[in-house]
Amino acid sequence: MPPKKRSTGTPLNKEIKPNNTVVFPVKEDNSELSIDRHNDKDAEFVALCEKLKVTDAVCESAWSIWDSLRASMDIVLDTNQKHWGVCLFVAATDLEVTTFTFTEVQKAVDLNVKQFFSLLKKMDVNMDTISTRVNAAMTRLEKKYEVSRALFQRFEKTCSKIYADAADSKGKDGVDAKQIIRSCWTLFLLAKGRVLQMEDDLVISFQLLMFVLEFCIRRCPPTLLQQPYKTATNGLAHSPLTRTSRRNHGKAKPRPPEVDLRLLETLCKENECSVDEASEVCLTSFSAFIESMGLSGTEELPEASELSRQYEELYRKSKDFDARLFLDHDETLEMGNIDFTQLEKTPKKNQLGEEPVLIPPQTPVRAAMNSIQQLRIVLTSASNEPSDVLVEYFKHCTVDPAEQITERVKRLAGLFSQWFAQALGQHCVEIGSQRFTLGTRLYYRVMESMLKSEEKRLSVQNFSKLLNDSTFHTSLLACALEVVMATYRGSSFRNGGFGSGGAAAETDISFPWILDVFQLAAYDFYKVIESFIKAEPSLSRDMIKHLERCEHLVMESIAWRGDSLLFELLRQCREEGSGEQAEPPATLNQPLQHNHTAADLYLSPVRPSNRAPAAPDAPATPPSQPPRNSRSTSLSLFYKKVYRLAYLRLNMLCSHLLTSHPELEPIMWTLFQHTLQNEYELMRDRHLDQLMMSAMYAICKVKNIDLRFKTIVTAYKNLPNTNQETFKRVLIRDGQYDSIIVFYNMVFMQRLKTNILQYASPRPPTLSPIPQIPCSPYKYPNSPRRVPGSNNVYISPLKSRMSPSVMTPRSRILVSIGESFGSPSDRFSKINQMVSSSDRLLKRSLEEGSAPKPLKRLRFDMEGQDEADGSKSSGKSTLLIQKLAEMNSTRTRMQEQKLKDDADSVKREEP
């Protein structure tokens, strides 16, 4: 029954250790490498160790890892050096004795960033080869590299627009543009490293870059500048940057730097960056850095050699990559070809035969700036205080919640600022305050939308019980803030809901950080997600996906933390009787209903049989409705979603591993579902996928199918949204962690051994129903929707004030009815040309007896794709032809007359 752990050379992790890291004995005298101690090793390996100045302990550890690798994977000839370099990185990181920088080891073994991390991941052939500490270090380096690379790409592009060709223009003292660019980038790296606690924060780093550029442009000769930057710096007095509409907190602050506001505005406009937000970064971070460098009030650029010397110290201390090498396009920092699937495609030619229109690619910086701009536009008209409509709802309550709501927001604002400053640094308090304000506006906006929807649904205006529920408000505000934080940070998550096992978690503001800030139970947070998405139509597709992923993280692991309210609710549910369950398996094959509102979930009974009736002055349901079932709606819906997510994950893994044994999947699902229903304590401080992989292995074992855990986790790593800690760091007992193999042997099998063995008997347990897997319940923006009462009329929402930079030639001629737009005659003319062309093609097609194939569904997208199957337009407006064919049966008399005229015209044109 138990899996056997294969030997991989040196015994690893023989006893259960909290951090699940490889532990090697550290000798006392190991400050320098003793060559004589390593005669048993390859001479070239020892020479590499000597070059990187590693200790004896690191050398021993790296060689042990190399030994285990040779026994478990095929090593290509002439790649030993490369593998040795990665082994040394792993060993030094694990032992926390790093004597070399990341760039130094790269150069020593001739590996660029992509190659190094790719090789490191391939080496992780056994679940205990790469520890969680190494994984965390690798993740940090990857994030920092990606941000630095994106920033340099934008920096290089911006500088090409700012500075004249260095070969043609020389400044005073022979300084040319190349020298200034090098100094500017090094100054930025130095500022980012010294003042930003989170160097992988793309937005704040980019805003800081704007001020470094402004600082350098003002100090370079005008002959080196191009327009509009040359004009922006002419004849303007520099004025101190001041904070507007911000309270003085009474703390000593650096003197506001002198800034050329016209130049700053030009820079921000060219880079789609908010001047107000960038100014806050300057006031809180850049000004302090300039003073610390002694550059405040100077009119000269700092010496390039001095900047490089200071950055060298910073780089040596951090032990990561040398970002100055971006300037030289050094091979160690190259990633090879750009993944163009992540960029917006640039069409070669317009369908109407116009000149090609160049569309800037959606680079990380551009995508971030566009997302922030869209959010700020949506919230511009919103207030950070309750609207008049909300105030009226508050007044209709039996107990007016207005004062409590205001006080709660104020209290949580202080809590948020405190945690934000702790994560990003005390100088970022005002930045945190800005983001909380945006979150507050979104919170009130969504609350109003929710209440309007509830009023329409229930025909009541008294929502006293809901609006006096503190958990509901805290959850709603947390969701609004998560949207804001994800917009600025990008859709990211903290290790799939697990702690990183290091200090990195303290500075990670990714989800579920906001739950920790507000001390909010994940189970309570999940209740608001679906209603939030439905109540806020301006959410982008990416943001909806982000919130949906947050919901999945809650169901996978976060809601199952040891102190979770969920376990108490399940215990209470079981106490109601042996037949009482959170959600009966019989309902699994029924469609999942998505008509539950936040009021339903927050006001549903906590204890199934002891639900107090709703007060007559605060109805949660229409009086004419019969009493609701005593089962907790929120718990029932939660378990329904967990079951469906669990089966979906199992189905994906089976499709990778067991295509030749499809009969095993329903058996595995039955064991998995039984575990979640009857042994839910196994989920405490664990992950849903840990039980899934254990159930899969158990059934294969009793059915005599050769499927090893190593094979399972290898396939698991290829599934979307997975984290290696899920199978490397599993709770065993009392805060002790080990691999999933140990968990299976010591915990899972011991608890479920009797049940598992039943599947080997001639009379196995009854199989559980297979859950019905619905599509996402959330409506994504830009998806065409049918107009009620019509079979063939669809509308496709247009994003608010879509930036021309993200529009294609196709979408540039869209007309938004009821909204003004420029050059209407020109746009209508183009549309008429397309419609007329389509009508003629339609008639010709009908006369030839070939009716257009009906669409499965209509889809308007940004890449010129017309059909649901993703086929490209052939230049004949296929989508319009098919739309017109569908609309033929309901055309008006005027349209019929037009078609007739066009048909006559076509006949006259034919020979």
Side-chain angles (χ1 to χ4, degrees):
M1 176 72 65
K4 294 181 180 179
K5 228 177 177 183
R6 302 176 67 195
S7 174
T8 57
T10 302
L12 302 180
N13 209 16
K14 283 296 186 182
E15 59 184 70
I16 302 171
K17 297 181 175 60
N19 59 4
N20 194 31
T21 56
V22 181
V23 176
F24 296 89
V26 180
K27 299 178 182 180
E28 293 181 3
D29 184 17
N30 63 353
S31 58
E32 294 182 2
L33 187 69
S34 302
I35 306 298
D36 296 339
R37 295 186 184 183
H38 306 291
N39 292 328
D40 58 328
K41 302 176 182 61
D42 190 293
E44 291 185 5
F45 172 80
V46 177
L48 178 62
C49 292
E50 189 175 16
K51 181 178 181 179
L52 295 175
K53 301 178 182 179
V54 304
T55 64
D56 286 323
V58 171
C59 180
E60 290 288 353
S61 174
W63 187 254
S64 180
I65 296 171
W66 167 245
D67 267 342
S68 65
L69 285 174
R70 285 189 296 179
S72 58
M73 66 182 289
D74 295 329
I75 305 296
V76 181
L77 294 176
D78 301 325
T79 61
N80 288 5
Q81 283 271 352
K82 301 181 187 301
H83 284 87
W84 290 341
V86 179
C87 289
L88 286 166
F89 173 80
V90 171
T93 303
D94 259 333
L95 296 176
E96 297 182 304
V97 187
T98 307
T99 56
F100 50 82
T101 67
F102 183 64
T103 295
E104 285 177 332
V105 71
Q106 282 183 274
K107 286 187 173 295
V109 297
D110 192 25
L111 284 173
N112 64 32
V113 173
K114 183 177 181 179
Q115 293 168 339
F116 193 98
F117 288 129
S118 177
L119 189 57
L120 179 57
K121 291 171 184 176
K122 287 179 181 177
M123 284 171 51
D124 193 13
V125 291
N126 295 299
M127 287 171 286
D128 49 7
T129 302
I130 306 300
S131 69
T132 54
R133 180 181 289 124
V134 174
N135 191 54
M138 180 179 67
T139 301
R140 182 192 68 83
L141 271 173
E142 280 187 305
K143 285 183 178 179
K144 185 175 179 180
Y145 169 79
E146 288 168 2
V147 168
S148 298
R149 183 170 181 258
L151 290 170
F152 179 75
Q153 288 174 339
R154 176 52 69 98
F155 171 80
E156 193 173 39
K157 181 180 178 181
T158 304
C159 285
S160 68
K161 296 179 180 180
I162 295 173
Y163 299 106
D165 188 358
D168 299 332
S169 303
K170 287 278 185 178
K172 55 186 177 180
D173 301 326
V175 178
D176 60 25
K178 288 184 178 179
Q179 290 176 294
I180 295 175
I181 289 172
R182 182 169 291 275
S183 295
C184 186
W185 177 248
T186 309
L187 182 66
F188 166 67
L189 294 177
L190 198 55
K192 185 164 72 82
R194 286 187 178 177
V195 303
L196 297 188
Q197 198 162 307
M198 291 179 63
E199 289 192 67
D200 61 345
D201 191 303
L202 177 64
V203 174
I204 295 180
S205 297
F206 180 65
Q207 292 166 343
L208 181 63
L209 177 59
M210 292 296 98
F211 277 92
V212 174
L213 284 167
E214 188 274 342
F215 179 87
C216 293
I217 291 171
R218 281 197 289 116
R219 287 162 174 78
C220 74
T223 54
L224 292 182
L225 298 178
Q226 302 185 85
Q227 297 294 1
Y229 299 97
K230 180 180 290 187
T231 301
T233 57
N234 284 343
L236 288 177
H238 306 148
S239 58
L241 187 65
T242 58
R243 178 182 285 118
T244 58
S245 68
R246 290 288 177 193
R247 297 187 304 272
N248 191 325
H249 294 281
K251 297 180 180 179
K253 297 179 181 178
R255 183 176 57 185
E258 290 188 346
V259 172
D260 189 328
L261 293 178
R262 185 175 173 184
L263 175 58
L264 178 62
E265 289 172 357
T266 301
L267 272 169
C268 289
K269 181 180 179 180
E270 290 288 314
N271 288 279
E272 301 166 320
C273 180
S274 167
V275 177
D276 293 337
E277 290 189 350
S279 298
E280 197 61 59
V281 172
C282 179
L283 288 165
T284 58
S285 303
F286 187 63
S287 58
F289 168 73
I290 290 299
E291 282 199 0
S292 69
M293 292 283 291
L295 299 175
S296 181
T298 63
E299 295 298 328
E300 301 292 332
L301 279 170
E303 289 289 337
S305 57
E306 178 60 20
L307 290 176
S308 186
R309 184 193 66 77
Q310 293 192 40
Y311 176 76
E312 181 77 17
E313 294 178 359
L314 190 67
Y315 151 68
R316 293 287 173 186
K317 184 178 179 180
S318 67
K319 303 293 184 185
D320 55 22
F321 56 88
D322 186 349
R324 290 171 299 185
L325 298 179
F326 279 117
L327 291 162
D328 305 319
H329 297 279
D330 191 275
E331 291 183 356
T332 59
L333 295 181
E334 290 298 311
M335 286 287 286
N337 295 330
I338 299 175
D339 184 8
F340 286 100
T341 61
Q342 302 300 318
L343 305 180
E344 185 176 347
K345 297 180 180 179
T346 304
K348 294 181 179 179
K349 197 172 184 181
N350 189 309
Q351 289 186 1
L352 298 179
E354 295 178 349
E355 292 297 320
V357 179
L358 299 178
I359 302 173
Q362 281 291 76
T363 61
V365 173
R366 179 178 292 276
M369 293 301 109
N370 282 342
S371 297
I372 293 170
Q373 183 185 31
Q374 292 295 329
L375 178 67
R376 290 176 65 86
I377 288 173
V378 168
L379 298 179
T380 296
S381 59
S383 172
N384 53 353
E385 294 181 352
S387 65
D388 293 340
V389 175
L390 276 178
V391 171
E392 284 300 312
Y393 277 118
F394 297 163
K395 289 179 180 178
H396 280 99
C397 292
T398 307
V399 178
D400 191 331
E403 185 176 351
Q404 286 188 357
I405 289 174
T406 303
E407 290 179 355
R408 184 185 299 107
V409 169
K410 183 178 179 181
R411 176 176 59 83
L412 294 178
L415 200 59
F416 181 88
S417 295
Q418 179 184 346
W419 279 65
F420 192 88
Q422 182 181 344
L424 275 76
Q426 292 300 319
H427 56 277
C428 290
V429 171
E430 290 293 340
I431 296 174
S433 178
Q434 284 182 341
R435 296 187 186 177
F436 188 88
T437 298
L438 289 175
T440 304
R441 292 177 179 178
L442 185 58
Y443 159 70
Y444 284 129
R445 174 185 164 99
V446 173
M447 188 197 308
E448 180 179 323
S449 177
M450 282 184 175
L451 294 179
K452 286 179 179 178
S453 178
E454 286 293 287
E455 180 183 1
K456 183 177 180 180
R457 182 174 75 101
L458 305 177
S459 300
V460 295
Q461 291 183 318
N462 186 347
F463 300 105
S464 186
K465 189 173 182 180
L466 178 66
L467 292 178
N468 281 283
D469 188 313
S470 178
T471 304
F472 162 70
H473 286 289
T474 305
S475 301
L476 186 61
L477 180 57
C479 195
L481 284 167
E482 178 58 31
V483 168
V484 173
M485 298 292 284
T487 301
Y488 279 85
R489 178 94 173 125
S491 299
S492 57
F493 304 92
R494 188 199 302 169
N495 284 325
F498 287 100
S500 64
E506 298 176 3
T507 59
D508 192 343
I509 57 175
S510 304
F511 188 80
W513 178 81
I514 192 63
L515 304 186
D516 299 331
V517 174
F518 288 169
Q519 293 296 294
L520 178 64
Y523 176 73
D524 286 326
F525 179 77
Y526 114 89
K527 299 175 187 178
V528 82
I529 295 176
E530 190 169 321
S531 292
F532 189 100
I533 292 174
K534 292 177 180 178
E536 183 44 73
S538 71
L539 293 177
S540 67
R541 182 185 182 90
D542 286 341
M543 192 51 60
I544 293 175
K545 286 185 175 181
H546 176 81
L547 291 179
E548 193 172 9
R549 179 60 188 145
C550 290
E551 184 181 66
H552 288 177
L553 284 173
V554 168
M555 294 187 289
E556 289 172 1
S557 60
I558 307 173
W560 303 97
R561 287 175 175 175
D563 57 350
S564 174
L565 169 68
L566 181 58
F567 292 102
E568 177 63 17
L569 294 178
L570 290 171
R571 184 188 65 78
Q572 292 176 1
C573 187
R574 176 168 288 186
E575 286 178 354
E576 294 302 315
S578 58
E580 189 70 30
Q581 301 167 3
E583 183 59 29
T587 65
L588 285 174
N589 53 8
Q590 299 174 3
L592 181 60
Q593 301 297 323
H594 291 284
N595 53 2
H596 305 286
T597 67
D600 289 330
L601 302 184
Y602 283 97
L603 302 181
S604 68
V606 176
R607 187 178 179 89
S609 65
N610 295 334
R611 182 190 181 213
D617 57 357
T621 59
S624 60
Q625 275 194 346
R628 202 180 291 167
N629 191 305
S630 63
R631 185 185 307 279
S632 170
T633 304
S634 60
L635 184 60
S636 174
L637 180 62
F638 180 82
Y639 246 76
K640 283 179 180 178
K641 289 188 173 185
V642 167
Y643 280 152
R644 282 160 174 79
L645 178 63
Y647 175 73
L648 184 62
R649 303 288 286 172
L650 177 67
N651 177 260
M652 292 173 67
L653 198 54
C654 286
S655 67
H656 282 74
L657 297 173
L658 296 168
T659 52
S660 58
H661 297 281
E663 74 282 358
L664 294 183
E665 183 186 290
I667 303 174
M668 293 172 178
W669 166 243
T670 302
L671 175 60
F672 192 10
Q673 188 274 324
H674 166 83
T675 308
L676 292 172
Q677 175 186 320
N678 300 295
E679 302 292 345
Y680 55 79
E681 277 291 334
L682 286 177
M683 280 295 298
R684 192 181 291 271
D685 286 323
R686 296 191 179 99
H687 195 287
L688 190 69
D689 292 348
Q690 293 165 353
L691 270 62
M692 173 190 69
M693 288 185 278
S694 296
M696 173 176 277
Y697 181 85
I699 295 302
C700 285
K701 204 70 175 174
V702 298
K703 294 295 184 181
N704 296 316
I705 303 297
D706 185 20
L707 182 66
R708 302 178 183 181
F709 257 122
K710 175 182 174 180
T711 306
I712 293 175
V713 299
T714 299
Y716 176 78
K717 287 190 290 186
N718 293 323
L719 297 184
N721 302 317
T722 59
N723 186 279
Q724 294 195 35
E725 283 202 4
T726 305
F727 55 83
K728 288 185 176 182
R729 191 172 186 267
V730 190
L731 177 66
I732 308 301
R733 62 172 179 267
D734 302 327
Q736 295 179 324
Y737 296 81
D738 212 299
S739 73
I740 193 169
I741 292 179
V742 178
F743 165 73
Y744 175 85
N745 287 331
M746 297 182 63
V747 182
F748 188 86
M749 189 187 67
Q750 302 301 325
R751 181 75 67 90
L752 292 161
K753 186 174 183 179
T754 302
N755 186 273
I756 293 171
L757 291 175
Q758 290 179 10
Y759 296 96
S761 68
R763 301 180 63 183
T766 304
L767 297 180
S768 298
I770 299 298
Q772 197 176 88
I773 306 298
C775 297
S776 171
Y778 309 123
K779 301 294 184 183
Y780 293 117
N782 295 331
S783 297
R785 302 178 187 178
R786 185 173 62 84
V787 175
S790 172
N791 294 326
N792 49 25
V793 178
Y794 291 78
I795 59 172
S796 182
L798 185 66
K799 286 186 178 180
S800 301
R801 302 180 184 273
M802 187 184 295
S803 171
S805 64
V806 297
M807 298 181 77
T808 65
R810 177 193 189 89
S811 60
R812 285 175 188 271
I813 62 172
L814 293 177
V815 174
S816 179
I817 297 175
E819 185 176 309
S820 61
F821 53 88
S823 304
S825 59
D826 180 56
R827 288 197 180 186
F828 276 123
S829 175
K830 291 179 180 178
I831 292 174
N832 286 335
Q833 290 177 34
M834 292 177 68
V835 173
S836 298
S837 173
S838 300
D839 284 343
R840 284 194 282 272
L841 288 167
L842 172 63
K843 292 298 295 181
R844 184 172 297 171
S845 176
L846 291 175
E847 288 175 356
E848 292 172 357
S850 58
K853 182 180 178 181
L855 279 178
K856 298 174 184 176
R857 65 182 178 92
L858 297 177
R859 185 172 81 176
F860 300 93
D861 57 24
M862 303 294 289
E863 297 180 1
Q865 296 180 351
D866 290 329
E867 299 186 13
D869 62 0
S871 61
K872 297 286 183 178
S873 170
S874 61
K876 296 183 179 180
S877 301
T878 307
L879 178 60
L880 285 171
I881 295 173
Q882 293 172 339
K883 282 176 62 184
L884 289 169
E886 288 184 343
M887 296 174 64
N888 189 51
S889 61
T890 57
R891 285 188 181 277
T892 62
R893 183 170 56 82
M894 184 181 297
Q895 289 173 318
E896 290 175 350
Q897 184 62 43
K898 183 178 185 299
L899 281 174
K900 183 179 179 181
D901 295 342
D902 288 337
D904 293 338
S905 175
V906 170
K907 290 179 181 179
R908 287 194 297 269
E909 292 174 4
E910 292 176 348

